[in-house]
Amino acid sequence: MVAEPSFLAPRFDSMPSGLKSQPWAVWRAKPRKGKPGKFDKAPRSPLTGRKIGADKPDLFGTFEQAQAAYLQGGYTGVGVLLTGTGIVGIDIDDVRKVIAEQPEAKAWIAKALGRGTYCEMSPSNTGLRLFIKGMPLPDEVKRKHGGLEIYDNLRFLTVTGHVVRRQPTDA
């Protein structure tokens, strides 16, 4: 039997204030059927514990409600709903693999960090999540490409507060 992975516990004090004003939810890691080692992180209302869709921002709660629900127990983590208000979320799964396959990604991440972009480790501690202020993405922008995902509206992204201040692949 394979042991469940450990996920990073949220560091609430490290999460940026700009994100805190967005809708928030909690989540529980659920193994994906047919995908060993992969987990679903569906948002759940911090008030009811029920699953909610990213297309229903009114069912999400506040940052404080998500924090309180997480601290009461029964959840793996917390996350934010992007709502088209100028915050863009970039998700890089398995960052070491992405950098090995796309060396330009390492330079881009370093440049983003140098400009003060908020960057954190993903709950699995193997990926990165970046949040930047930006214009709404045009509809024709491809949202997924080679291990990189970019979203700005109606997308739930987990948040850990485990801030990255330098290249995560540096020793």
Side-chain angles (χ1 to χ4, degrees), residues 139-150:
D139 289 338
E140 65 272 8
V141 168
K142 190 174 179 182
R143 302 290 194 246
K144 295 183 180 186
H145 178 72
L148 304 171
E149 299 177 43
I150 183 168

Side-chain angles (χ1 to χ4, degrees), residues 9-10 18 41 46 50 78 92 98 102 104-105 115 135 151 156:
K41 301 172 191 86
R50 293 186 178 151
V78 298
I92 307 173
V98 168
Q102 301 173 54
E104 66 277 11
R115 290 184 173 165
M135 300 296 292
Y151 302 101
F156 176 72

Side-chain angles (χ1 to χ4, degrees), residues 37-157:
K38 296 286 185 181
F39 292 82
D40 285 325
K41 301 172 191 86
R44 294 177 173 274
S45 166
L47 300 175
T48 67
R50 293 186 178 151
K51 282 186 184 179
I52 50 180
D55 61 339
K56 305 263 191 235
D58 54 312
L59 298 179
F60 281 68
T62 65
F63 171 80
E64 292 79 11
Q65 290 167 335
Q67 180 180 12
Y70 174 82
L71 293 173
Q72 287 177 357
Y75 299 104
T76 311
V78 298
V80 66
L81 179 66
L82 301 179
T83 59
T85 59
I87 298 174
V88 176
I90 301 163
D91 185 14
I92 307 173
D93 292 331
D94 196 353
V95 69
R96 291 182 188 275
K97 180 180 176 188
V98 168
I99 288 172
E101 293 174 356
Q102 301 173 54
E104 66 277 11
K106 184 174 184 174
W108 181 85
I109 294 167
K111 190 174 185 179
L113 290 173
R115 290 184 173 165
T117 297
Y118 177 77
C119 179
E120 65 174 29
M121 294 305 298
S122 66
S124 66
N125 204 24
T126 61
L128 292 180
R129 189 98 64 249
L130 295 92
F131 292 96
I132 60 175
K133 290 182 181 177
M135 300 296 292
L137 299 172
D139 289 338
E140 65 272 8
V141 168
K142 190 174 179 182
R143 302 290 194 246
K144 295 183 180 186
H145 178 72
L148 304 171
E149 299 177 43
I150 183 168
Y151 302 101
D152 67 338
N153 195 19
L154 300 179
R155 183 67 179 200
F156 176 72
L157 293 174

Side-chain angles (χ1 to χ4, degrees), residues 10-17 20 63 67 118 160-161 163 165:
R11 291 182 178 165
F12 294 102
D13 291 341
S14 300
M15 296 176 186
S17 59
K20 290 180 181 180
F63 171 80
Q67 180 180 12
Y118 177 77
T160 66
V163 179
R165 301 199 195 294

